[in-house]
Amino acid sequence: MCSASSLNGVKMMPDSEKKGITVKIDAGLHAEVRAYIESHNMTMADFVAQALYNELHPKLQHEVGNMRTIAFQVPDEMYQRIKEYLSCHGMTQKEFCLGLISAELEREHLAEMQNESEVEEVLE
């Protein structure tokens, strides 16, 4: 289970540390928001906090050049564990997978550099 209380990366504070925001928005937009939060089992406060956080802290896009798709299936139990992890850490599946792939490729690159360095030392 998730130890920190969060909603898609937004750390939730105790009510005593929260401040209110009141705004007037177009009725059509309000209806869209209401439908969204109901379908996602959120409160209006959750939605506004997430929207504000996402606007103030945009995720950096490291996408450069042509993009390719990688798709694979996982067992349902693992999928549920991944979803819980993503929820707790405010990450998307894409960010999670790219992070794992990048870390492994970097680890391999460093190991190769270490091996090359050791070979050069032996040859000297």
Side-chain angles (χ1 to χ4, degrees), residues 1 6 12 21 33 35 50 54 56 58-59 75 82 88 94 102 112-113 116 123:
M1 276 313 249
S6 70
M12 305 313 282
I21 295 177
V33 170
Q50 181 178 334
N54 289 344
L56 293 171
K59 299 197 189 292
I82 292 168
C88 288
K94 179 179 179 179
S102 295
E112 287 174 358
M113 289 178 54
E116 289 176 8
L123 294 176

Side-chain angles (χ1 to χ4, degrees), residues 62-85:
H62 297 288
E63 301 169 1
V64 192
N66 294 334
M67 300 295 290
R68 302 297 299 255
T69 299
I70 296 177
F72 53 92
Q73 293 182 326
V74 297
D76 185 62
E77 182 180 334
M78 179 181 283
Y79 179 78
Q80 296 306 322
R81 290 179 61 202
I82 292 168
K83 293 303 262 185
E84 176 69 22
Y85 179 90

Side-chain angles (χ1 to χ4, degrees), residues 59-61 86 89-100:
K59 299 197 189 292
L60 297 176
Q61 297 296 321
L86 297 176
H89 292 85
M91 299 174 74
T92 65
Q93 289 181 23
K94 179 179 179 179
E95 291 167 332
F96 179 69
C97 290
L98 287 177
L100 292 174

